[in-house]
Amino acid sequence: MALLSSWGRYPDRPQHPHTLYWPDQISPLLQQLHAHTTTLAFGYGRSYGDVCLAASDHVLTTSAMDRVLSVDWTRGIIRAQAGLSLAALLNIVIPHGWFPSVTPGTQWITLGGAVANDVHGKNHHVQGTFGCHVRGLTLYRSDEGFIECSPNLRPELFQATIGGLGLTGIILDVEIQLQAITSDQITQTAIRFATLDDFFDLSAYYSTSHDYTVAWIDCLVRGRDLGRGVFFAGNHADGHDQEHEYTQPSSRHMRIPFTPPLSLVNSVSLRLFNALYYQRHVRPDTCKMHYQPFFYPLDAISHWNRLYGRAGFQQYQCIIPAQHARIVIRAILQTIANSKLGSFLAVLKTFGDMPSPGLLSFPMHGTTLALDFPQGSLTEQLFRRLDIMVHEAGGRLYPAKDAHMSSTHFQQAYPAWTTLEALRDPVLLSHFWQRVTA
Amino acid sequence: MNSPPPRILIIGATSTIAQAVARCYVGQQATFYLVGRAAGKLAIIATDLLARGATTVHTQVLDLNEHAGIESMVQQAGNQLGQIDIALIAHGSLPDQARTEHDLVYALDEFQTNATSMIVCMQAVAQHLAQQRSGVLAVIGSVAGDRGRGSNYLYGAAKAAVATYASGLRARLFREGVHVLVIKPGFVATPMTAHLELPARLVASPEQIAQDIVQAIHHRRDVLYTPHFWWLIMMIIKLIPSVIFNRLRL
């Protein structure tokens, strides 16, 4: 079978897959894997660094375990096996007038992965994280067998599993609350802004009227243009003022067919891309668009991670608490711009204050920045400088994107890690967990 | 192009390939009659197909090695569905060849699952389709049935029996408007092959196989090699002269 890697293809730790088709295979599979001591569930491998990589390099893949177990179309509640992709879920629920309450920037993730990383989306300021909408889940633990958890049933295990990086047991199925929609279209407003202060003002203004807000920032420009970008705000369109119809997305689709020996992401291609992107949005513009390009613009290019060549890439995603956000985000952007290492457009988003049930959930009230960097020693040096700034501001990094954070920074940013470690299934261990608990 | 929703009987419905095939038809509001041994899994698959858009899903728990129940099962399926447009026979197992070489009881058991039981199912379904004078019977054989290889010949022999029986059935039913398709998958990522060390490039996903099967049913093909390149591989394997073939470890 083909070996697996994480999305950033760094660190280079090829994973041997063992496929789960049905829950009753787990116990024999774990026994069979006993020789490797530990393992980890692996969904679509869309986390960037090493949270999805088993310390033993032997993973249990869940994507073939993707059946819907129950649906209540009147209340918008669905329970499905953990390997169901968000893409499949969307196709199943949208025709019935429902939509996931929270979706991240790609639909190529599994429900299990969404829970394990407690993913967030452009509507964090309204709906919180994915975990806020999980009504219950089933775990398999090597020491206890099958366990049903919910906010009321084994709540300590439930909370540790939301954002628990897949370490509290194999997540077998998940029940979530959906949100009602009347159209599969999004009404989007795009506004170009020239400074970082404008971003914060736009974000504050639109977050009261729009469910979805996000901004893309050009991280290559320095000096006066620092922090220029495009702000997007969106709402689900109202299907009642038109024929109630679910449309087909545009079928325009690209694919990166192979991994080039060297990264195609370089200073020339980036400057051109970022400048063109900025110039495209000269005037504020409101339009109705299909939900696919609004939520998942990068899903239109399959295997875009291959653009970074064999060395792979890392994403830096941090959150800065609200009271320091303006100053620290500016300082971080300056540091990145001066390093000339930044990549495609950076994503900037203001999180709300809705708490997640998850013990190790990443989001907090403040502003998050996410940006890709080609893997290399300069990138690592830059990350060390950024880490100090994030740390001093009381912020933290997102484990789902991480391949570098130090155990000191992790343990200070996520003090509940000791609780998770105490509840960890002894046969589950990732490279990430080994690294940050060392 | 609004073809009427198909009415589909699937025997061995908990097999990974069968599940993938069933999902290909939910967009056409298909009605299903699913037959399998594991009641719990069958119920889960039924719920899943309904959530994905199937109109109705009937299930029947049946051990297909109990031949006595097969004919009435097909009758029952015909009654529930009204008519059977497509019947897929997909059950099977992959025997441990080494064990079949010294454990004859085991060998015959495996042959029974992969050949005899399949033939009984084909016979019962063919009878029903012939009566209604329409329908497609699709049966899962294997590239392994094309030539007996030292590493896998009990399974190969069973699949050869299936293919030969199906070929005869196809000829007999031709005038009745009934079609018989033999599907010969190569390596597919399923529980049946999970323990094998297979070359990654040659292993197809069940979804890919399912799409080929749906196309072949639609176009009433006689034999489907899936993925298609297996046609060439098996052609070469069949053409290797015995003097050489006997010396190869295939």
Side-chain angles (χ1 to χ4, degrees), chain A residues 1-3 19 21-22 24-25 64 66-71 73 78 81 84 88 92 96, chain B residues 14 16 19 23 41 44-45 47-48 51-52 189-191 193-194 196-200 203:
Chain A
M1 297 286 164
L3 300 183
T19 311
Y21 293 93
W22 291 98
D24 61 10
Q25 274 175 286
D66 66 344
R67 303 166 191 95
V68 176
L69 299 177
S70 66
V71 228
W73 292 127
I78 188 164
Q81 291 179 328
L84 185 74
I92 292 167
H96 293 270
Chain B
T14 58
T16 307
Q19 284 178 72
R23 283 183 183 179
K41 290 176 182 171
I44 289 175
I45 291 166
T47 307
D48 178 65
R52 289 170 189 263
T190 69
T193 59
L196 304 177
E197 289 287 327
L198 299 173
V203 179

mmCIF file of all heavy atoms in Angstrom, chain A residues 1-3 19 21-22 24-25 64 66-71 73 78 81 84 88 92 96, chain B residues 14 16 19 23 41 44-45 47-48 51-52 189-191 193-194 196-200 203:
data_model
loop_
_atom_site.group_PDB
_atom_site.id
_atom_site.type_symbol
_atom_site.label_atom_id
_atom_site.label_comp_id
_atom_site.label_asym_id
_atom_site.label_seq_id
_atom_site.Cartn_x
_atom_site.Cartn_y
_atom_site.Cartn_z
ATOM 1 N N MET A 1 0.835 -1.203 0.000
ATOM 2 C CA MET A 1 0.000 0.000 0.000
ATOM 3 C C MET A 1 0.869 1.252 0.000
ATOM 4 O O MET A 1 1.964 1.243 0.559
ATOM 5 C CB MET A 1 -0.901 0.016 1.241
ATOM 6 C CG MET A 1 -1.889 -1.134 1.273
ATOM 7 S SD MET A 1 -3.235 -0.919 0.104
ATOM 8 C CE MET A 1 -3.901 -2.573 0.045
ATOM 9 N N ALA A 2 0.350 2.323 -0.601
ATOM 10 C CA ALA A 2 1.119 3.563 -0.690
ATOM 11 C C ALA A 2 1.293 4.164 0.706
ATOM 12 O O ALA A 2 0.388 4.122 1.534
ATOM 13 C CB ALA A 2 0.383 4.541 -1.593
ATOM 14 N N LEU A 3 2.458 4.727 0.954
ATOM 15 C CA LEU A 3 2.717 5.348 2.249
ATOM 16 C C LEU A 3 2.069 6.730 2.290
ATOM 17 O O LEU A 3 1.859 7.363 1.260
ATOM 18 C CB LEU A 3 4.229 5.446 2.483
ATOM 19 C CG LEU A 3 4.948 4.085 2.470
ATOM 20 C CD1 LEU A 3 6.429 4.261 2.773
ATOM 21 C CD2 LEU A 3 4.313 3.130 3.458
ATOM 22 N N THR A 19 -6.023 -0.189 7.064
ATOM 23 C CA THR A 19 -7.341 0.369 6.808
ATOM 24 C C THR A 19 -8.406 -0.183 7.755
ATOM 25 O O THR A 19 -8.510 -1.393 7.935
ATOM 26 C CB THR A 19 -7.774 0.051 5.364
ATOM 27 O OG1 THR A 19 -6.690 0.394 4.504
ATOM 28 C CG2 THR A 19 -8.997 0.857 4.972
ATOM 29 N N TYR A 21 -12.308 -0.678 8.086
ATOM 30 C CA TYR A 21 -13.562 -0.673 7.332
ATOM 31 C C TYR A 21 -14.762 -0.663 8.269
ATOM 32 O O TYR A 21 -15.780 -0.066 7.987
ATOM 33 C CB TYR A 21 -13.640 -1.892 6.412
ATOM 34 C CG TYR A 21 -12.619 -1.866 5.305
ATOM 35 C CD1 TYR A 21 -11.390 -2.479 5.451
ATOM 36 C CD2 TYR A 21 -12.884 -1.195 4.114
ATOM 37 C CE1 TYR A 21 -10.447 -2.447 4.434
ATOM 38 C CE2 TYR A 21 -11.956 -1.158 3.095
ATOM 39 C CZ TYR A 21 -10.721 -1.786 3.256
ATOM 40 O OH TYR A 21 -9.809 -1.737 2.256
ATOM 41 N N TRP A 22 -14.597 -1.378 9.395
ATOM 42 C CA TRP A 22 -15.683 -1.498 10.360
ATOM 43 C C TRP A 22 -15.091 -1.431 11.768
ATOM 44 O O TRP A 22 -13.967 -1.888 11.991
ATOM 45 C CB TRP A 22 -16.419 -2.835 10.186
ATOM 46 C CG TRP A 22 -17.211 -2.937 8.922
ATOM 47 C CD1 TRP A 22 -16.824 -3.533 7.758
ATOM 48 C CD2 TRP A 22 -18.522 -2.429 8.682
ATOM 49 N NE1 TRP A 22 -17.817 -3.432 6.822
ATOM 50 C CE2 TRP A 22 -18.879 -2.764 7.361
ATOM 51 C CE3 TRP A 22 -19.448 -1.729 9.466
ATOM 52 C CZ2 TRP A 22 -20.104 -2.422 6.799
ATOM 53 C CZ3 TRP A 22 -20.672 -1.393 8.902
ATOM 54 C CH2 TRP A 22 -20.996 -1.737 7.584
ATOM 55 N N ASP A 24 -15.555 -3.272 14.234
ATOM 56 C CA ASP A 24 -15.198 -4.551 14.875
ATOM 57 C C ASP A 24 -13.794 -5.032 14.500
ATOM 58 O O ASP A 24 -13.304 -6.017 15.027
ATOM 59 C CB ASP A 24 -16.259 -5.628 14.574
ATOM 60 C CG ASP A 24 -16.407 -5.918 13.091
ATOM 61 O OD1 ASP A 24 -15.573 -5.443 12.310
ATOM 62 O OD2 ASP A 24 -17.366 -6.623 12.714
ATOM 63 N N GLN A 25 -13.145 -4.324 13.557
ATOM 64 C CA GLN A 25 -11.781 -4.700 13.195
ATOM 65 C C GLN A 25 -10.752 -4.127 14.162
ATOM 66 O O GLN A 25 -9.591 -4.541 14.132
ATOM 67 C CB GLN A 25 -11.421 -4.045 11.867
ATOM 68 C CG GLN A 25 -11.792 -4.743 10.619
ATOM 69 C CD GLN A 25 -11.411 -3.783 9.511
ATOM 70 O OE1 GLN A 25 -12.086 -2.790 9.293
ATOM 71 N NE2 GLN A 25 -10.299 -4.051 8.853
ATOM 72 N N ALA A 64 -12.293 4.787 5.000
ATOM 73 C CA ALA A 64 -13.222 3.797 4.441
ATOM 74 C C ALA A 64 -14.389 3.538 5.405
ATOM 75 O O ALA A 64 -15.336 2.834 5.065
ATOM 76 C CB ALA A 64 -12.497 2.490 4.145
ATOM 77 N N ASP A 66 -17.071 5.319 6.538
ATOM 78 C CA ASP A 66 -17.663 6.618 6.190
ATOM 79 C C ASP A 66 -19.171 6.544 6.008
ATOM 80 O O ASP A 66 -19.724 7.153 5.102
ATOM 81 C CB ASP A 66 -17.002 7.140 4.905
ATOM 82 C CG ASP A 66 -17.312 6.270 3.707
ATOM 83 O OD1 ASP A 66 -17.778 5.118 3.915
ATOM 84 O OD2 ASP A 66 -17.107 6.718 2.569
ATOM 85 N N ARG A 67 -19.837 5.778 6.857
ATOM 86 C CA ARG A 67 -21.283 5.593 6.660
ATOM 87 C C ARG A 67 -22.088 6.512 7.569
ATOM 88 O O ARG A 67 -21.686 6.777 8.698
ATOM 89 C CB ARG A 67 -21.639 4.135 6.919
ATOM 90 C CG ARG A 67 -20.827 3.198 6.012
ATOM 91 C CD ARG A 67 -20.903 1.756 6.453
ATOM 92 N NE ARG A 67 -19.920 0.956 5.718
ATOM 93 C CZ ARG A 67 -18.704 0.672 6.192
ATOM 94 N NH1 ARG A 67 -18.321 1.107 7.373
ATOM 95 N NH2 ARG A 67 -17.856 -0.037 5.473
ATOM 96 N N VAL A 68 -23.210 6.946 7.046
ATOM 97 C CA VAL A 68 -24.137 7.745 7.855
ATOM 98 C C VAL A 68 -24.912 6.775 8.743
ATOM 99 O O VAL A 68 -25.461 5.782 8.252
ATOM 100 C CB VAL A 68 -25.106 8.532 6.956
ATOM 101 C CG1 VAL A 68 -26.118 9.286 7.797
ATOM 102 C CG2 VAL A 68 -24.329 9.483 6.054
ATOM 103 N N LEU A 69 -24.953 7.025 10.031
ATOM 104 C CA LEU A 69 -25.586 6.085 10.966
ATOM 105 C C LEU A 69 -27.012 6.478 11.317
ATOM 106 O O LEU A 69 -27.850 5.621 11.579
ATOM 107 C CB LEU A 69 -24.745 5.979 12.242
ATOM 108 C CG LEU A 69 -23.312 5.462 12.039
ATOM 109 C CD1 LEU A 69 -22.550 5.455 13.354
ATOM 110 C CD2 LEU A 69 -23.327 4.063 11.432
ATOM 111 N N SER A 70 -27.282 7.781 11.366
ATOM 112 C CA SER A 70 -28.658 8.222 11.604
ATOM 113 C C SER A 70 -28.795 9.683 11.197
ATOM 114 O O SER A 70 -27.812 10.431 11.229
ATOM 115 C CB SER A 70 -29.041 8.058 13.080
ATOM 116 O OG SER A 70 -28.271 8.941 13.870
ATOM 117 N N VAL A 71 -29.998 10.057 10.790
ATOM 118 C CA VAL A 71 -30.249 11.456 10.450
ATOM 119 C C VAL A 71 -31.620 11.852 10.952
ATOM 120 O O VAL A 71 -32.552 11.057 10.899
ATOM 121 C CB VAL A 71 -30.319 11.727 8.922
ATOM 122 C CG1 VAL A 71 -29.492 12.908 8.542
ATOM 123 C CG2 VAL A 71 -30.053 10.525 8.096
ATOM 124 N N TRP A 73 -33.833 14.796 9.809
ATOM 125 C CA TRP A 73 -33.902 15.929 8.872
ATOM 126 C C TRP A 73 -34.755 17.067 9.426
ATOM 127 O O TRP A 73 -34.681 18.183 8.936
ATOM 128 C CB TRP A 73 -34.430 15.510 7.504
ATOM 129 C CG TRP A 73 -33.503 14.619 6.726
ATOM 130 C CD1 TRP A 73 -33.805 13.413 6.161
ATOM 131 C CD2 TRP A 73 -32.128 14.870 6.386
ATOM 132 N NE1 TRP A 73 -32.702 12.896 5.521
ATOM 133 C CE2 TRP A 73 -31.667 13.759 5.638
ATOM 134 C CE3 TRP A 73 -31.230 15.910 6.653
ATOM 135 C CZ2 TRP A 73 -30.367 13.664 5.149
ATOM 136 C CZ3 TRP A 73 -29.927 15.819 6.172
ATOM 137 C CH2 TRP A 73 -29.514 14.706 5.429
ATOM 138 N N ILE A 78 -27.135 14.851 12.488
ATOM 139 C CA ILE A 78 -26.644 13.697 11.741
ATOM 140 C C ILE A 78 -25.545 13.026 12.540
ATOM 141 O O ILE A 78 -24.731 13.690 13.184
ATOM 142 C CB ILE A 78 -26.163 14.128 10.322
ATOM 143 C CG1 ILE A 78 -25.822 12.908 9.461
ATOM 144 C CG2 ILE A 78 -24.977 15.078 10.388
ATOM 145 C CD1 ILE A 78 -25.712 13.231 7.968
ATOM 146 N N GLN A 81 -20.096 7.827 10.727
ATOM 147 C CA GLN A 81 -18.802 7.277 11.105
ATOM 148 C C GLN A 81 -17.713 8.323 10.863
ATOM 149 O O GLN A 81 -17.845 9.198 10.000
ATOM 150 C CB GLN A 81 -18.529 6.002 10.302
ATOM 151 C CG GLN A 81 -19.459 4.866 10.723
ATOM 152 C CD GLN A 81 -19.229 3.608 9.924
ATOM 153 O OE1 GLN A 81 -18.859 3.655 8.753
ATOM 154 N NE2 GLN A 81 -19.467 2.457 10.548
ATOM 155 N N LEU A 84 -16.189 9.792 7.421
ATOM 156 C CA LEU A 84 -16.967 10.538 6.416
ATOM 157 C C LEU A 84 -16.295 11.885 6.168
ATOM 158 O O LEU A 84 -15.955 12.597 7.106
ATOM 159 C CB LEU A 84 -18.400 10.755 6.905
ATOM 160 C CG LEU A 84 -19.329 11.416 5.879
ATOM 161 C CD1 LEU A 84 -19.707 10.432 4.780
ATOM 162 C CD2 LEU A 84 -20.587 11.967 6.527
ATOM 163 N N ALA A 88 -18.371 14.804 1.388
ATOM 164 C CA ALA A 88 -19.510 13.893 1.267
ATOM 165 C C ALA A 88 -20.674 14.381 2.120
ATOM 166 O O ALA A 88 -21.825 14.346 1.692
ATOM 167 C CB ALA A 88 -19.099 12.482 1.687
ATOM 168 N N ILE A 92 -24.605 15.300 1.075
ATOM 169 C CA ILE A 92 -25.742 14.599 1.678
ATOM 170 C C ILE A 92 -26.720 15.592 2.309
ATOM 171 O O ILE A 92 -27.932 15.454 2.154
ATOM 172 C CB ILE A 92 -25.237 13.585 2.737
ATOM 173 C CG1 ILE A 92 -24.484 12.442 2.048
ATOM 174 C CG2 ILE A 92 -26.398 13.031 3.568
ATOM 175 C CD1 ILE A 92 -23.685 11.564 2.993
ATOM 176 N N HIS A 96 -31.172 18.714 1.639
ATOM 177 C CA HIS A 96 -32.224 18.724 2.656
ATOM 178 C C HIS A 96 -32.303 20.073 3.372
ATOM 179 O O HIS A 96 -33.038 20.202 4.349
ATOM 180 C CB HIS A 96 -31.987 17.609 3.675
ATOM 181 C CG HIS A 96 -32.154 16.240 3.091
ATOM 182 N ND1 HIS A 96 -33.355 15.566 3.074
ATOM 183 C CD2 HIS A 96 -31.275 15.424 2.457
ATOM 184 C CE1 HIS A 96 -33.203 14.384 2.481
ATOM 185 N NE2 HIS A 96 -31.952 14.284 2.101
ATOM 186 N N THR B 14 -22.568 -6.393 1.956
ATOM 187 C CA THR B 14 -21.621 -5.742 2.865
ATOM 188 C C THR B 14 -20.206 -5.747 2.300
ATOM 189 O O THR B 14 -19.297 -5.220 2.917
ATOM 190 C CB THR B 14 -21.609 -6.424 4.249
ATOM 191 O OG1 THR B 14 -21.271 -7.796 4.071
ATOM 192 C CG2 THR B 14 -22.961 -6.320 4.932
ATOM 193 N N THR B 16 -17.073 -4.526 0.221
ATOM 194 C CA THR B 16 -16.659 -3.139 -0.014
ATOM 195 C C THR B 16 -16.999 -2.687 -1.430
ATOM 196 O O THR B 16 -17.452 -1.570 -1.636
ATOM 197 C CB THR B 16 -15.145 -3.009 0.254
ATOM 198 O OG1 THR B 16 -14.899 -3.533 1.549
ATOM 199 C CG2 THR B 16 -14.700 -1.574 0.202
ATOM 200 N N GLN B 19 -20.778 -2.079 -1.715
ATOM 201 C CA GLN B 19 -21.180 -0.802 -1.097
ATOM 202 C C GLN B 19 -20.885 0.366 -2.026
ATOM 203 O O GLN B 19 -21.685 1.281 -2.177
ATOM 204 C CB GLN B 19 -20.416 -0.576 0.206
ATOM 205 C CG GLN B 19 -20.909 -1.395 1.356
ATOM 206 C CD GLN B 19 -20.050 -1.136 2.585
ATOM 207 O OE1 GLN B 19 -20.123 -0.082 3.178
ATOM 208 N NE2 GLN B 19 -19.223 -2.097 2.934
ATOM 209 N N ARG B 23 -23.640 2.987 -3.838
ATOM 210 C CA ARG B 23 -23.591 4.447 -3.712
ATOM 211 C C ARG B 23 -23.640 5.148 -5.070
ATOM 212 O O ARG B 23 -24.107 6.280 -5.168
ATOM 213 C CB ARG B 23 -22.322 4.867 -2.980
ATOM 214 C CG ARG B 23 -22.433 4.641 -1.490
ATOM 215 C CD ARG B 23 -21.197 5.145 -0.800
ATOM 216 N NE ARG B 23 -21.266 4.876 0.633
ATOM 217 C CZ ARG B 23 -20.306 5.191 1.477
ATOM 218 N NH1 ARG B 23 -19.206 5.777 1.023
ATOM 219 N NH2 ARG B 23 -20.428 4.936 2.753
ATOM 220 N N LYS B 41 -24.196 -4.840 10.114
ATOM 221 C CA LYS B 41 -23.563 -4.095 9.017
ATOM 222 C C LYS B 41 -24.573 -3.794 7.905
ATOM 223 O O LYS B 41 -24.574 -2.708 7.326
ATOM 224 C CB LYS B 41 -22.376 -4.884 8.465
ATOM 225 C CG LYS B 41 -21.219 -4.923 9.447
ATOM 226 C CD LYS B 41 -20.065 -5.770 8.962
ATOM 227 C CE LYS B 41 -18.998 -5.780 10.057
ATOM 228 N NZ LYS B 41 -17.925 -6.739 9.792
ATOM 229 N N ILE B 44 -26.635 -0.847 8.860
ATOM 230 C CA ILE B 44 -25.879 0.413 8.743
ATOM 231 C C ILE B 44 -25.786 0.838 7.278
ATOM 232 O O ILE B 44 -25.987 2.007 6.931
ATOM 233 C CB ILE B 44 -24.476 0.248 9.370
ATOM 234 C CG1 ILE B 44 -24.597 0.166 10.897
ATOM 235 C CG2 ILE B 44 -23.562 1.401 8.964
ATOM 236 C CD1 ILE B 44 -23.292 -0.108 11.620
ATOM 237 N N ILE B 45 -25.512 -0.124 6.403
ATOM 238 C CA ILE B 45 -25.397 0.206 4.974
ATOM 239 C C ILE B 45 -26.745 0.711 4.445
ATOM 240 O O ILE B 45 -26.805 1.651 3.651
ATOM 241 C CB ILE B 45 -24.897 -1.020 4.185
ATOM 242 C CG1 ILE B 45 -23.435 -1.298 4.578
ATOM 243 C CG2 ILE B 45 -25.014 -0.805 2.685
ATOM 244 C CD1 ILE B 45 -22.923 -2.639 4.138
ATOM 245 N N THR B 47 -29.122 2.302 6.145
ATOM 246 C CA THR B 47 -29.328 3.671 6.632
ATOM 247 C C THR B 47 -28.483 4.654 5.829
ATOM 248 O O THR B 47 -28.933 5.742 5.468
ATOM 249 C CB THR B 47 -28.916 3.773 8.120
ATOM 250 O OG1 THR B 47 -29.592 2.764 8.844
ATOM 251 C CG2 THR B 47 -29.255 5.129 8.691
ATOM 252 N N ASP B 48 -27.233 4.261 5.568
ATOM 253 C CA ASP B 48 -26.321 5.123 4.827
ATOM 254 C C ASP B 48 -26.851 5.411 3.420
ATOM 255 O O ASP B 48 -26.871 6.560 2.965
ATOM 256 C CB ASP B 48 -24.949 4.445 4.752
ATOM 257 C CG ASP B 48 -23.937 5.262 3.958
ATOM 258 O OD1 ASP B 48 -23.606 6.377 4.419
ATOM 259 O OD2 ASP B 48 -23.488 4.805 2.895
ATOM 260 N N ALA B 51 -29.769 7.825 3.575
ATOM 261 C CA ALA B 51 -29.338 9.204 3.830
ATOM 262 C C ALA B 51 -28.753 9.832 2.566
ATOM 263 O O ALA B 51 -28.856 11.028 2.344
ATOM 264 C CB ALA B 51 -28.304 9.226 4.954
ATOM 265 N N ARG B 52 -28.130 9.002 1.728
ATOM 266 C CA ARG B 52 -27.494 9.521 0.518
ATOM 267 C C ARG B 52 -28.472 9.657 -0.641
ATOM 268 O O ARG B 52 -28.065 10.050 -1.734
ATOM 269 C CB ARG B 52 -26.331 8.620 0.110
ATOM 270 C CG ARG B 52 -25.144 8.724 1.068
ATOM 271 C CD ARG B 52 -24.099 7.659 0.788
ATOM 272 N NE ARG B 52 -23.088 7.629 1.839
ATOM 273 C CZ ARG B 52 -21.902 8.242 1.764
ATOM 274 N NH1 ARG B 52 -21.572 8.903 0.679
ATOM 275 N NH2 ARG B 52 -21.052 8.177 2.755
ATOM 276 N N ALA B 189 -8.324 -2.250 -3.011
ATOM 277 C CA ALA B 189 -8.138 -2.023 -1.577
ATOM 278 C C ALA B 189 -9.422 -2.359 -0.844
ATOM 279 O O ALA B 189 -10.355 -1.566 -0.810
ATOM 280 C CB ALA B 189 -7.740 -0.571 -1.325
ATOM 281 N N THR B 190 -9.518 -3.566 -0.315
ATOM 282 C CA THR B 190 -10.693 -4.015 0.436
ATOM 283 C C THR B 190 -10.196 -4.832 1.629
ATOM 284 O O THR B 190 -9.021 -5.176 1.686
ATOM 285 C CB THR B 190 -11.602 -4.928 -0.421
ATOM 286 O OG1 THR B 190 -10.907 -6.156 -0.648
ATOM 287 C CG2 THR B 190 -11.982 -4.299 -1.738
ATOM 288 N N PRO B 191 -11.108 -5.165 2.567
ATOM 289 C CA PRO B 191 -10.664 -5.993 3.690
ATOM 290 C C PRO B 191 -10.060 -7.318 3.220
ATOM 291 O O PRO B 191 -9.197 -7.879 3.873
ATOM 292 C CB PRO B 191 -11.965 -6.241 4.471
ATOM 293 C CG PRO B 191 -12.869 -5.125 4.093
ATOM 294 C CD PRO B 191 -12.509 -4.764 2.692
ATOM 295 N N THR B 193 -8.063 -7.898 0.815
ATOM 296 C CA THR B 193 -6.659 -7.807 0.402
ATOM 297 C C THR B 193 -5.811 -7.065 1.426
ATOM 298 O O THR B 193 -4.627 -6.832 1.199
ATOM 299 C CB THR B 193 -6.540 -7.068 -0.950
ATOM 300 O OG1 THR B 193 -7.097 -5.756 -0.786
ATOM 301 C CG2 THR B 193 -7.278 -7.779 -2.046
ATOM 302 N N ALA B 194 -6.440 -6.672 2.563
ATOM 303 C CA ALA B 194 -5.742 -5.796 3.513
ATOM 304 C C ALA B 194 -4.447 -6.406 4.037
ATOM 305 O O ALA B 194 -3.497 -5.695 4.316
ATOM 306 C CB ALA B 194 -6.666 -5.449 4.680
ATOM 307 N N LEU B 196 -2.396 -8.363 2.442
ATOM 308 C CA LEU B 196 -1.417 -8.670 1.401
ATOM 309 C C LEU B 196 -0.476 -7.496 1.159
ATOM 310 O O LEU B 196 -0.871 -6.344 1.281
ATOM 311 C CB LEU B 196 -2.127 -9.007 0.079
ATOM 312 C CG LEU B 196 -3.141 -10.152 0.127
ATOM 313 C CD1 LEU B 196 -3.806 -10.304 -1.227
ATOM 314 C CD2 LEU B 196 -2.450 -11.448 0.531
ATOM 315 N N GLU B 197 0.758 -7.802 0.825
ATOM 316 C CA GLU B 197 1.710 -6.753 0.441
ATOM 317 C C GLU B 197 1.581 -6.575 -1.068
ATOM 318 O O GLU B 197 2.185 -7.312 -1.838
ATOM 319 C CB GLU B 197 3.139 -7.183 0.794
ATOM 320 C CG GLU B 197 3.438 -7.210 2.278
ATOM 321 C CD GLU B 197 3.567 -5.805 2.865
ATOM 322 O OE1 GLU B 197 4.031 -4.893 2.145
ATOM 323 O OE2 GLU B 197 3.191 -5.629 4.041
ATOM 324 N N LEU B 198 0.768 -5.615 -1.496
ATOM 325 C CA LEU B 198 0.539 -5.443 -2.926
ATOM 326 C C LEU B 198 1.279 -4.208 -3.423
ATOM 327 O O LEU B 198 1.472 -3.255 -2.681
ATOM 328 C CB LEU B 198 -0.965 -5.281 -3.193
ATOM 329 C CG LEU B 198 -1.832 -6.465 -2.782
ATOM 330 C CD1 LEU B 198 -3.304 -6.126 -2.944
ATOM 331 C CD2 LEU B 198 -1.486 -7.687 -3.608
ATOM 332 N N PRO B 199 1.708 -4.229 -4.691
ATOM 333 C CA PRO B 199 2.374 -3.034 -5.237
ATOM 334 C C PRO B 199 1.389 -1.864 -5.287
ATOM 335 O O PRO B 199 0.341 -1.963 -5.936
ATOM 336 C CB PRO B 199 2.801 -3.467 -6.636
ATOM 337 C CG PRO B 199 2.047 -4.720 -6.935
ATOM 338 C CD PRO B 199 1.643 -5.334 -5.649
ATOM 339 N N ALA B 200 1.707 -0.762 -4.591
ATOM 340 C CA ALA B 200 0.771 0.354 -4.418
ATOM 341 C C ALA B 200 0.190 0.851 -5.742
ATOM 342 O O ALA B 200 -0.989 1.179 -5.834
ATOM 343 C CB ALA B 200 1.465 1.481 -3.678
ATOM 344 N N VAL B 203 -2.919 -1.084 -7.032
ATOM 345 C CA VAL B 203 -4.108 -1.243 -6.195
ATOM 346 C C VAL B 203 -5.112 -0.131 -6.492
ATOM 347 O O VAL B 203 -4.805 1.048 -6.379
ATOM 348 C CB VAL B 203 -3.743 -1.230 -4.697
ATOM 349 C CG1 VAL B 203 -4.991 -1.381 -3.843
ATOM 350 C CG2 VAL B 203 -2.764 -2.355 -4.387
#
